[in-house]
Amino acid sequence: MNRSPCRLSLDAAALVDNWRRLAAMSGAAACGAAVKADGYGLGAREVVRRLADAGCRDFFVATWAEARALVDTGVSISVLHGVRADDMALARLRNARPVLNTARQIQRWRDAGGGLCDVMVDTGMNRLGVSPADIADGLLEGLRIDTLMSHLASGDEDSPLNEQQRARVVALAGTTEAQRMSLANSAGIALGADYRFDLVRPGIALYGGVPRAELAGMRQVATPEAQVLQRRRVAAGESVGYNATWTAQTDTEVAILNLGYADGYWCGFSGKGAARAGATRLPVLGRVSMDLIAVDCGAADVAEGDWLALDYALPEASAISGMSQYELLTGLGARFDRIWR
Ligand SMILES: *Cc1c(COP(=O)(O)O)cnc(C)c1O
């Protein structure tokens, strides 16, 4: 097998610990998992397998192609973007059901014979979902609904919108045939027991994201590692990388690593990110240069062919790169070998 010169080291125990912590915080509410975007870039199949073993029963993807890729795992999958006409051929997948978002989607589902579904209601985000007024007018009558859900716009902030959205969900209780109600994403879980209803739907925090201070200490799951392709000495006065943004003040030992934009190592890490050789920090020098980065390896014993891990704890990596924690995960590229440990 030809191994890639970059790999994602994935910590299975950290993933499961994060889910268990969120499940414990959620009390009596069931704790699901958002695994859209290929498990936020980590690999949805591997995430699902491990969380299902830990006891997770409700999984959420965005599209039917994502559902199809998971269907043989046997878990229950909700497809958040609902059913377009183009989806109907797939929409009868075993164990998968749509989250219906619009009157047209609901009609399409009814015309195809109905069956168990979820419904998204918009309570103030104005993204996807039917309105509470349409529900009051009978839009959902006769539908077999597992979960009536809504989504928080600002759960990661102390916004008055949170309480407003929560109150609108409470007002829907008992007005439909839905077996369960659900509102909280990762951040919502930390807003308190009133936000948890019957089912919570964390995503980012499972993967080590920290959307609110209360969730500090979620364990890092994904660590990019890259192989050294060349080691060189850069003489004082010489520059490194595209646009020569870094110039050596003294003779400097530099390692060139196989990592760059296509892997999700963004320009924002230029001059700010770092690799590690053991505990020794090796700062990124100059620009990320397309598929390659340079690090100062003078403090470590680094040779061509060695592997170095990159600093990628999400709150810190987000702060230095200017990318959101969501972008940092979902941008992790296809060139990585994804290795679960
Ligand atoms: C993505 C998503 C989630 C998970 O959100 P996080 O902020 O990643 O925890 C939950 N519910 C819905 C509807 C989503 O789209």
Side-chain angles (χ1 to χ4, degrees):
M1 185 177 108
N2 177 253
R3 284 182 203 279
S4 173
C6 57
R7 65 192 180 201
L8 262 193
S9 177
L10 295 158
D11 186 336
L15 173 75
V16 170
D17 276 4
N18 290 342
W19 182 79
R20 290 211 169 105
R21 180 177 164 197
L22 293 162
M25 285 178 76
S26 302
C31 186
V35 296
K36 60 202 183 198
D38 202 19
Y40 286 46
L42 274 54
R45 292 182 65 82
E46 295 295 318
V47 168
V48 164
R49 192 162 68 71
R50 287 174 171 80
L51 294 185
D53 284 349
C56 183
R57 291 292 168 265
D58 299 277
F59 293 88
F60 298 87
V61 298
T63 68
W64 286 94
E66 291 178 350
R68 180 175 48 191
L70 294 173
V71 86
D72 63 314
T73 62
V75 301
S76 165
I77 303 165
S78 292
V79 181
L80 290 164
H81 294 186
V83 275
R84 303 165 306 153
D86 282 345
D87 295 322
M88 289 310 292
L90 272 182
R92 294 292 165 187
L93 284 176
R94 201 165 35 90
N95 301 331
R97 61 178 183 264
V99 180
L100 301 173
N101 293 292
T102 70
R104 281 181 70 179
Q105 288 189 357
I106 288 166
Q107 193 56 50
R108 187 173 291 128
W109 191 244
R110 288 188 197 275
D111 290 348
L116 197 63
C117 61
D118 298 326
V119 173
M120 176 68 72
V121 53
D122 179 62
T123 54
M125 185 175 185
N126 286 302
R127 192 174 68 170
L128 287 176
V130 301
S131 70
D134 287 344
I135 293 176
D137 288 346
L139 180 66
L140 307 184
E141 252 159 49
L143 270 187
R144 279 185 58 216
I145 304 171
D146 180 305
T147 302
L148 182 67
M149 69 182 77
S150 192
H151 192 52
L152 292 165
S154 305
D156 57 350
E157 299 177 298
D158 292 326
S159 159
L161 192 51
N162 293 330
E163 169 52 24
Q164 223 177 79
Q165 291 194 270
R166 191 194 69 79
R168 287 176 182 160
V169 173
V170 168
L172 288 164
T175 69
T176 74
E177 312 278 292
Q179 296 161 30
R180 302 190 290 181
M181 312 259 294
S182 174
L183 175 61
N185 59 349
S186 302
I189 293 170
L191 290 178
D194 292 352
Y195 284 81
R196 294 172 200 146
F197 296 91
D198 303 306
L199 167 67
V200 298
R201 313 183 306 267
I204 191 79
L206 293 171
Y207 311 111
V210 180
R212 289 186 66 90
E214 295 90 335
L215 295 171
M218 298 313 297
R219 293 181 57 190
Q220 181 177 345
V221 179
T223 304
E225 298 175 355
Q227 218 167 7
V228 176
L229 298 183
Q230 186 169 22
R231 177 179 169 138
R232 61 169 64 251
R233 169 178 291 254
V234 176
E238 293 278 312
S239 62
V240 166
Y242 276 134
N243 305 103
T245 59
W246 181 86
T247 301
Q249 301 301 305
T250 58
D251 292 358
T252 305
E253 294 296 323
V254 174
I256 307 299
L257 303 186
N258 192 108
L259 195 72
Y261 300 138
D263 309 303
Y265 203 75
W266 311 109
C267 196
F269 289 108
S270 301
K272 295 182 178 166
R276 296 273 160 181
T280 307
R281 184 173 185 277
L282 311 180
V284 170
L285 302 175
R287 284 251 158 102
V288 176
S289 291
M290 187 59 185
D291 295 310
L292 298 163
I293 57 174
V295 300
D296 180 341
C297 66
D301 181 18
V302 170
E304 189 173 320
D306 286 356
W307 286 89
L308 297 177
L310 278 296
D311 281 357
Y312 217 73
L314 291 171
E316 292 81 7
S318 170
I320 66 166
S321 68
M323 307 290 290
S324 76
Q325 298 179 51
Y326 297 90
E327 290 167 297
L328 291 179
L329 287 177
T330 57
L332 291 166
R335 290 194 294 214
F336 286 111
D337 287 334
R338 284 165 165 75
I339 298 171
W340 288 86
R341 303 181 196 278

